[in-house]
Amino acid sequence: MKGIILFGHGARNPEYIEPFRRIQAVVAAKLPGVPVEIGFLELTQPPLETSIECLARRGVTHVKVVPIFFAPGRHVLKDLPQLLGNAIDLHPGIEFEVAECVGVVDGVIEAMAAHAVAGT
Amino acid sequence: MKGIILFGHGARNPEYIEPFRRIQAVVAAKLPGVPVEIGFLELTQPPLETSIECLARRGVTHVKVVPIFFAPGRHVLKDLPQLLGNAIDLHPGIEFEVAECVGVVDGVIEAMAAHAVAGT
């Protein structure tokens, strides 16, 4: 059974989670039956570890982590592999896959550019 | 004359700027004659102040700042207004406008969700 985690940075503002919830809702609607969790590196709840734990309890055996980052920096290249290294030890029955950062994907680049252009 | 600045966080990894350059190229292609700059809060060059200075030297009188952030947190709600407050003092002839964060825009949410779904 597959599961998806949207992995974000986190922030102090409690409303920061809202756009992540919107992505989660769209993904869940497109993939009925596939659990979709949100997990953060810091500041915003829940942490990535908790999201993985939730999927493990639901019997997920393959987790795709989607970094909701604009570009691969330290958080994606160093912090995420470290967190997943710990997760592999804790959940040996789960296979982890890391998708590309959303920010390097053509369709996302196009959509961001369209927003920048809108009204100009 | 209008100008656009794509405002990002910045990171230590020098390749971090690449997706921003791709957005810049798409926007520039859609709006010939409108100067499009990239400016960062920290770590990545150039800082926002420098991008504003570049536009000012080109005679831009209206700058639209597009926050390349997923959600409004401290950087967008506090740091950006502070930077723009200083910019208004330095460049009284320029009118500044701040667009919505890319991450709260429907089309961007849809594109990120499509990426999360792809291959699942």
Side-chain angles (χ1 to χ4, degrees), chain A residues 60-64 88 91-97:
Chain A
V60 164
T61 52
H62 183 106
V63 172
K64 177 161 76 173
I88 287 167
H91 306 286
I94 299 182
E95 189 184 357
F96 290 93
E97 171 196 356

Side-chain angles (χ1 to χ4, degrees), chain B residues 7-26:
Chain B
F7 173 59
H9 185 282
R12 282 183 183 80
N13 178 4
E15 289 169 31
Y16 176 86
I17 199 173
E18 287 309 324
F20 294 87
R21 288 215 175 107
R22 287 172 60 199
I23 308 170
Q24 180 186 34
V26 178

Side-chain angles (χ1 to χ4, degrees), chain A residues 44-55:
Chain A
T44 303
Q45 289 294 321
L48 180 66
E49 296 90 326
T50 304
S51 315
I52 294 170
E53 182 67 36
C54 288
L55 291 181

Side-chain angles (χ1 to χ4, degrees), chain B residues 7-54:
Chain B
F7 173 59
H9 185 282
R12 282 183 183 80
N13 178 4
E15 289 169 31
Y16 176 86
I17 199 173
E18 287 309 324
F20 294 87
R21 288 215 175 107
R22 287 172 60 199
I23 308 170
Q24 180 186 34
V26 178
V27 175
K30 285 178 196 277
L31 295 173
V34 175
V36 185
E37 296 284 341
I38 305 171
F40 293 97
L41 179 66
E42 60 183 27
L43 300 167
T44 303
Q45 290 293 321
L48 180 66
E49 295 91 326
T50 304
S51 316
I52 294 170
E53 182 66 36
C54 289

Side-chain angles (χ1 to χ4, degrees), chain A residues 9-14 16-17 40 42-45, chain B residues 71-75:
Chain A
H9 185 281
R12 281 183 184 80
N13 178 4
Y16 177 86
I17 198 171
F40 293 97
E42 61 183 27
L43 301 167
T44 303
Q45 289 294 321
Chain B
R74 182 169 45 100
H75 300 316

Side-chain angles (χ1 to χ4, degrees), chain B residues 7-109:
Chain B
F7 173 59
H9 185 282
R12 282 183 183 80
N13 178 4
E15 289 169 31
Y16 176 86
I17 199 173
E18 287 309 324
F20 294 87
R21 288 215 175 107
R22 287 172 60 199
I23 308 170
Q24 180 186 34
V26 178
V27 175
K30 285 178 196 277
L31 295 173
V34 175
V36 185
E37 296 284 341
I38 305 171
F40 293 97
L41 179 66
E42 60 183 27
L43 300 167
T44 303
Q45 290 293 321
L48 180 66
E49 295 91 326
T50 304
S51 316
I52 294 170
E53 182 66 36
C54 289
L55 291 181
R57 287 180 187 221
R58 290 181 67 175
V60 164
T61 52
H62 183 105
V63 171
K64 177 161 75 173
V65 179
V66 183
I68 310 295
F69 284 77
F70 292 109
R74 182 169 45 100
H75 300 316
V76 172
L77 299 174
K78 183 175 156 286
D79 298 334
L80 178 58
Q82 198 164 7
L83 287 166
L84 292 183
N86 297 340
I88 288 166
D89 291 340
L90 278 170
H91 307 285
I94 299 181
E95 189 184 357
F96 291 92
E97 170 195 356
V98 178
E100 278 195 307
C101 285
V102 289
V104 307
V105 172
D106 287 346
V108 179
I109 296 267

Side-chain angles (χ1 to χ4, degrees), chain A residues 2 4 31 62 64 97, chain B residues 114-120:
Chain A
K2 283 195 170 192
I4 293 175
L31 295 173
H62 183 106
K64 177 161 76 173
E97 171 196 356
Chain B
H115 171 57
V117 166
T120 303

